[in-house]
Amino acid sequence: MDAIALLTIFVLSIFVGIEVVSKVSAVLHTPLMSGANAIHGVVLVGAILVTGKANTTLELGLGLAAIVLAAINMVGGFVVTDRMLEMFKPKPRDGEAK
Amino acid sequence: MTPTWVRLAELGASVLFILALKGLSSPKTARRGNLLGAAGATIATIVAFFYGEKFYGGPIQHLPLIIVATAIGSVIGWIAAKRVQMTQMPQMVALFNGVGGGAAAVVSTIEFLSAGNPAQTRAALAATVFTVLVGSVSFTGSILTFMKLQELMTSRPVVIPAGRYITSLVGLLTIGSAIVLVTWLDSAGNASSSILFVLLGLSLIMGLLLVLPVGGADVPIVISLLNAFTGLSVAASGYVLGNVLLIVAGTLVGASGTLLTRMMAQAMGRPLTNTLFGAFTAKATTAAGPAEDRPVKSASPEDVAIMLAYARKVIIVPGYGLAVAQAQNTIRELVELLQAKGISVDYAIHPVAGRMPGHMNVLLAEANVPYEQLKEMDEINPEFAETDVALVVGANDVVNPAARNDPSAPIYGMPILNVDQAQQVVFLKRSMRPGFAGIENEVLFDPRTSLLFGDAKESLTKVVSAVKNL
């Protein structure tokens, strides 16, 4: 794809990224950070792509290392976020709050 | 060219990522949002194997090894995420973020080594340089923040002699090698791979130098910032590979992460530049206060029980010490006892109580504390003046008036909970040791303040039984 098309996607993504989180409450800062952290674990895709066409041992070794790291980021990120958010679900407690 | 259905699937994954971030912004939809993100990531990973012969130059190579590596990483990530204590979650996020940044740097390096350089445009070279630089900084920086939070090293700012000059020098060398890499091509039109490795090494060192002087309460902000860095680095690796999905996902995280970092910094009342560069100029001497042997008033659990039981309005200020002692359930028990006596009790949650914004909410939610009792700082601060007892459990920096009064304090400017305005203040503390930011707290020496020393959980248990016996 040509550079300008990629640049267009990049710039539009910036605006979407800012827009979608602009109204987050402070309570959710940590889970949101953690969820975003998991999403960039998708670099796993890049790691698989470069390893799948690796021609030298160096490239293969580095590629496999990148795959392991990226998979830790992605899977660990989503699982830990889910654990945090598990706490937020409304619990069946007889609330005599105030 | 990549098959059309693969690209459509990646479009689907991109949409899922946007919906995930959107969902994560609201408590009701947060969990579903996270699952949507996970679904998007799973789809993206699966279709990566179907890019086709044109892309891979034949059938995908090393397929078994790739699958094994993916499985190993997934299992490690899964186990680590399941095993980690909720109190240690911030450093876990830092670690996950760091390895992601490292992966992005490596991906671009491999593409650079394999691409047969003349094919690479200057723009692709620049993107490679960006990924390697930012990804590596994020990698070592995150690992260092992990070590600080895990208390494998001091959490105080580490100021190395002539640190500013060393950092500036390494910074200049890093940028210099980046420029050389993009502009200088040999006679065959290739960029130099040895310079790329020099850049890689310098960037790794740079990550350490940038994070070393960051201390105490600023660490969470740095995690968030490095998270945004990794996002941008992933986006740049997407440019290198010509992969739209990586560009979208990385940029979404980079942009939302930057905004989030700013929001956190604002919640702590610190401009971002202070966080990053403050420690270079600040002296580490404010840490040791003048007040070593000043008298404090200590109280027995029974004294505390009486104070609480005869109050009309009590505000609990939970801090990291509460979480470390696993005392969330005990505090809830105490609160329920007091409420049964008709006393008004609220929790005052500082935006960075715990170790990160929202961390304390997660910890208390885990202990089934009803959501409505948790009050945010702006809401509760005016109420301290009419409060009989402010009970501070394992918190220190977030109630330290030095943030208001002492311009030389590292936390100066951070909004605090005004416990010093309450009629009486009770601190449950393990020792007189200052908090994470390492500053003395004047409230401790106030005549209206009582201290109950000991592990937060043991102390609270004693207070609970004392209240029951009244």
Side-chain angles (χ1 to χ4, degrees), chain B residues 316-318 322 327-337 347 364 367 369 391 393 428 460 464:
Chain B
I316 313 269
V317 180
L322 174 100
Q328 301 96 308
N329 285 302
T330 325
I331 190 87
R332 195 201 68 222
E333 199 186 335
L334 176 65
V335 169
E336 283 170 357
L337 267 177
Y347 296 84
L364 289 175
V369 171
L391 178 63
V393 188
L428 300 192
L460 280 171
V464 166

Side-chain angles (χ1 to χ4, degrees), chain B residues 164-427:
Chain B
R164 297 160 75 176
Y165 303 107
I166 296 173
T167 309
S168 310
L169 182 68
V170 175
L172 285 176
L173 285 174
T174 312
I175 292 167
S177 57
I179 292 173
V180 170
L181 190 63
V182 177
T183 54
W184 183 79
L185 306 177
D186 67 13
S187 48
N190 289 321
S192 158
S193 52
S194 40
I195 295 182
L196 183 78
F197 285 110
V198 170
L199 176 69
L200 187 65
L202 285 169
S203 309
L204 290 171
I205 298 172
M206 198 62 201
L208 296 178
L209 288 173
L210 283 176
V211 175
L212 265 180
V214 176
D218 285 338
V219 173
I221 297 184
V222 169
I223 297 181
S224 177
L225 188 69
L226 291 175
N227 187 39
F229 273 16
T230 305
L232 290 177
S233 155
V234 170
S237 78
Y239 188 89
V240 175
L241 297 174
N243 186 300
V244 176
L245 175 68
L246 291 188
I247 297 182
V248 173
T251 311
L252 284 174
V253 177
S256 60
T258 308
L259 183 68
L260 192 59
T261 310
R262 274 195 53 203
M263 289 196 265
M264 282 191 192
Q266 272 166 9
M268 299 174 67
R270 296 173 68 78
L272 209 46
T273 45
N274 261 21
T275 307
L276 285 180
F277 306 113
F280 287 111
T281 43
K283 295 193 190 81
T285 47
T286 29
E292 281 296 301
D293 293 323
R294 283 160 59 188
V296 292
K297 193 167 82 187
S298 56
S300 69
E302 289 74 23
D303 299 335
V304 176
I306 290 170
M307 269 189 254
L308 291 172
Y310 292 97
R312 275 168 301 124
K313 186 171 171 57
V314 173
I315 295 181
I316 313 269
V317 180
Y320 189 67
L322 174 100
V324 169
Q326 299 282 323
Q328 301 96 308
N329 285 302
T330 325
I331 190 87
R332 195 201 68 222
E333 199 186 335
L334 176 65
V335 169
E336 283 170 357
L337 267 177
L338 295 176
Q339 282 172 335
K341 289 178 183 290
I343 301 164
S344 145
V345 189
D346 288 302
Y347 296 84
I349 310 292
H350 190 273
V352 293
R355 283 284 161 85
M356 264 193 186
H359 192 191
M360 188 52 65
N361 303 70
V362 173
L363 295 169
L364 289 175
E366 190 184 17
N368 289 324
V369 171
Y371 213 62
E372 317 79 66
Q373 290 175 12
L374 307 184
K375 298 237 177 120
E376 290 187 22
M377 181 174 62
D378 294 337
E379 194 187 344
I380 197 112
N381 253 346
E383 295 184 23
F384 276 106
E386 54 205 54
T387 296
D388 301 306
V389 183
L391 178 63
V392 183
V393 188
N396 195 350
D397 296 334
V398 297
V399 297
N400 191 340
R404 276 196 312 247
N405 310 329
D406 179 5
S408 71
I411 58 167
Y412 183 68
M414 178 172 90
I416 56 161
L417 291 164
N418 300 325
V419 291
D420 50 340
Q421 293 172 3
Q423 299 298 316
Q424 286 178 304
V425 187
V426 178
F427 273 88

Side-chain angles (χ1 to χ4, degrees), chain A residues 30 40 52-53 74 82-83 91, chain B residues 81-82 84 111 227 357 368:
Chain A
T30 301
H40 67 51
K53 58 191 179 75
M74 184 158 118
D82 190 61
R83 275 191 61 198
K91 298 203 172 68
Chain B
K82 280 286 181 192
V84 64
E111 183 65 10
N227 187 39
N368 289 324

Side-chain angles (χ1 to χ4, degrees), chain A residues 1-56 58-91 93-98, chain B residues 7 17-18 20-22 24-27 30-31 34-35 37-38 41 44-45 48-49 51 55-56 60-62 65-66 69-70 73-74 76-78 81-84 86 89 93 96-97 99-100 103-104 106-107 110-111 113-114 223-224 227 230-231 234 237 239 241 243-249 251-253 255-256 259-260 263-264 336 346 356-359 361-362 365-366 368 370-372 375-376:
Chain A
M1 214 186 282
D2 75 7
I4 299 300
L6 295 178
L7 185 67
T8 309
I9 291 165
F10 171 68
V11 174
L12 294 181
S13 300
I14 293 179
F15 282 93
V16 176
I18 290 176
E19 191 54 38
V20 287
V21 302
S22 58
K23 290 188 190 72
V24 62
S25 71
V27 179
L28 283 171
H29 277 176
T30 301
L32 178 63
M33 186 211 297
S34 178
N37 175 40
I39 288 175
H40 67 51
V42 78
V43 70
L44 176 60
V45 170
I48 292 173
L49 295 182
V50 292
T51 313
K53 58 191 179 75
N55 291 319
T56 66
L58 176 66
E59 287 169 30
L60 176 63
L62 287 173
L64 292 174
I67 290 177
V68 172
L69 294 180
I72 293 177
N73 181 188
M74 184 158 118
V75 175
F78 284 116
V79 172
V80 89
T81 311
D82 190 61
R83 275 191 61 198
M84 286 181 216
L85 293 169
E86 214 177 344
M87 321 292 175
F88 281 97
K89 70 167 180 254
K91 298 203 172 68
R93 274 174 58 83
D94 34 2
E96 28 100 14
K98 259 182 283 181
Chain B
R7 300 178 68 189
F17 289 151
I18 296 173
L21 287 174
K22 184 84 192 151
L24 280 165
S25 306
S26 155
R31 198 162 184 210
N34 184 53
L35 293 178
T45 307
F49 291 97
Y51 264 58
F55 180 86
Y56 285 121
I60 179 169
Q61 298 176 52
H62 319 296
L65 283 175
I66 292 178
T70 311
S74 305
I76 295 176
W78 183 285
K82 280 286 181 192
R83 285 227 177 130
V84 64
M86 272 295 148
M89 205 186 50
V93 174
F96 288 151
N97 176 53
V99 294
V106 173
V107 166
I110 299 170
E111 183 65 10
L113 294 176
S114 73
I223 297 181
S224 177
N227 187 39
T230 305
V234 170
S237 78
Y239 188 89
L241 297 174
N243 186 300
V244 176
L245 175 68
L246 291 188
I247 297 182
V248 173
T251 311
L252 284 174
V253 177
S256 60
L259 183 68
L260 192 59
M263 289 196 265
M264 282 191 192
E336 283 170 357
D346 288 302
M356 264 193 186
H359 192 191
N361 303 70
V362 173
E366 190 184 17
N368 289 324
Y371 213 62
E372 317 79 66
K375 298 237 177 120
E376 290 187 22

